[in-house]
DNA sequence: TGTACATCAGTGAACGCGCGTTCACTGATGTAC
DNA sequence: TGTACATCAGTGAACGCGCGTTCACTGATGTAC
């Protein structure tokens, strides 16, 4: 049956949102089109009324997650305390335990390397993230802000990947805590 | 037909070796049992003469890759130059472009978080790696060697994940170079 | 030492299953008159 | 304003495919006598 146009656009957005969450939680190949549609409250058929393919949805959900993530940087206070709070929030058990709403790079970094179609979108995301972090937060010097941002982000992403992979709560928290104390 | 016992053991080892390489290159779900067997020069049938399931092979290949990786730490010179060379080798374009022979954590970190069965094996690997790196290499002080090892490893893993995910050679090399210069 | 037989890793067809994707059909909505 | 019809997102069965796994069968090797 035909539905109001506004409802269709809202459903499209909901599919993208659910996909972004599920992909970060379980990886691109760990989530089926049917599961995403069920999560959105629909059957799997109309998926192809909204997207050309699963790969098209992956690209769109990545772009959407990227926008959300960049808004997070922009929303932090542009001073030393804001930077420390941002990094502490990133390296928190809460972020570790909620990959579906968290950092793209930590959740899908490995998967993206293997999925040629999404690497350009991810590259743009990383470039923009580095630029925004470098200019938004205070660093030791203007000259080294990009270098320092890269070092900080590498440590943040690596710590989150390791903290999520281990099966030992104490070790996981130790990784987050020690990495955090080296960055703030 | 029946084969000499030595040949059987050698085939088992070759399956584990090929699996370790392919999993690191394409992820656990990106490689089929059939592909692994074909790469080893066999048909897919006898796989179950060697392993109870794909998951059992994953566990064994992870343990094997872990042993190889720990041997790499042990083989480095136990001084400042050896440590610098080890980190530089890790953060090299050569390592980035050869995930199949490289670091488990950087290649499969994200996948391992989602595969409950392999997390204990991975946890042991990470614990042993931290201990070996902390005791084998010189650090600023005995008191902080574990803390410094965690910070160094987080940065190494994060930089490699990001360097592999981006589609831009200059940015990829910049990430490796700037992270390396912050660690040595 | 020579012969008869049990062993078991190999082969390759087959299984059920879930995947991404397609399609004939449905029926409330929006539009033309 | 009321009626007739075209639209198109929805439904759900169906498609081919590749997956992990099973299994009846093969035949060179190792062993018992």
């Amino acid at each position: 049956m035909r539905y109001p146009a506004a409802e269709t656009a809202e459903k499209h957005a909901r599919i993208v949102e659910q996909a972004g969450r599920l992909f970060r939680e379980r990886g691109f190949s760990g989530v089926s089109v049917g599961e995403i549609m069920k999560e959105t409250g629909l059957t799997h058929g109309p998926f192809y009324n909204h997207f050309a393919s699963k790969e098209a949805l992956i690209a769109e959900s990545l772009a959407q997650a990227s926008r959300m993530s960049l808004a997070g940087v922009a929303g932090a206070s542009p001073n030393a305390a804001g930077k420390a709070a941002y990094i502490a929030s990133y390296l928190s058990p809460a972020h570790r335990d909620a990959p579906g709403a968290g950092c793209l790079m930590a959740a899908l970094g490995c998967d993206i390397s293997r999925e040629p179609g999404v690497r350009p979108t991810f590259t743009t995301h990383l470039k923009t993230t580095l630029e925004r972090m470098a200019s938004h937060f205070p660093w030791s010097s203007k000259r080294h802000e990009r270098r320092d941002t890269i070092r900080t982000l590498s440590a943040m992403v690596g710590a989150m990947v390791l903290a999520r992979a281990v099966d030992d709560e104490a070790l996981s928290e130790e990784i987050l805590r020690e990495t955090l104390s080296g960055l703030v």
Side-chain angles (χ1 to χ4, degrees), chain A:
Chain A
M1 70 184 117
R2 194 166 177 184
Y3 282 70
E7 227 171 276
T8 300
E10 188 250 342
K11 271 169 195 164
H12 183 99
R14 251 165 55 211
I15 296 169
V16 172
E17 196 184 321
Q18 291 301 320
R21 178 176 67 81
L22 289 167
F23 287 146
R24 276 176 281 181
E25 279 173 9
R26 303 197 228 139
F28 299 128
S29 61
V31 189
S32 71
V33 165
E35 266 181 304
I36 294 164
M37 295 304 279
K38 188 183 275 179
E39 207 79 1
T40 315
L42 299 167
T43 52
H44 63 282
F47 176 81
Y48 294 90
N49 293 335
H50 288 283
F51 304 94
S53 64
K54 188 185 183 185
E55 195 168 353
L57 171 63
I58 289 175
E60 199 166 323
S61 74
L62 230 61
Q64 160 66 11
S66 172
R67 278 191 296 275
M68 295 290 291
S69 171
L70 292 166
V73 176
S77 297
N79 51 36
K83 179 182 151 196
Y86 179 79
I87 298 173
S89 158
Y90 189 104
L91 291 172
S92 68
H95 179 203
R96 177 197 62 198
D97 297 337
C103 175
L104 258 180
M105 311 182 196
L108 291 166
C110 307
D111 303 69
I112 285 162
S113 316
R114 306 174 199 131
E115 202 80 29
V118 304
R119 293 175 72 197
T121 305
F122 180 81
T123 304
T124 303
H125 171 63
L126 177 52
K127 281 180 176 173
T128 312
T129 301
L130 286 173
E131 285 158 17
R132 298 283 171 88
M133 283 180 69
S135 62
H136 190 77
F137 293 128
W139 300 93
S140 60
S141 78
K142 179 81 189 166
R143 197 171 145 240
H144 291 135
E145 65 184 22
R146 182 172 172 86
R147 185 197 77 180
D148 292 346
T149 305
I150 289 173
R151 290 179 185 170
T152 301
L153 194 63
S154 288
M156 286 162 69
V157 171
M160 187 50 67
V161 167
L162 295 178
R164 280 185 182 146
V166 298
D167 208 12
D168 177 316
E169 178 66 19
L171 176 59
S172 181
E173 282 194 30
E174 184 188 11
I175 292 165
L176 296 178
R177 185 186 347 112
E178 298 295 19
T179 303
L180 173 61
S181 64
L183 296 176
V184 297

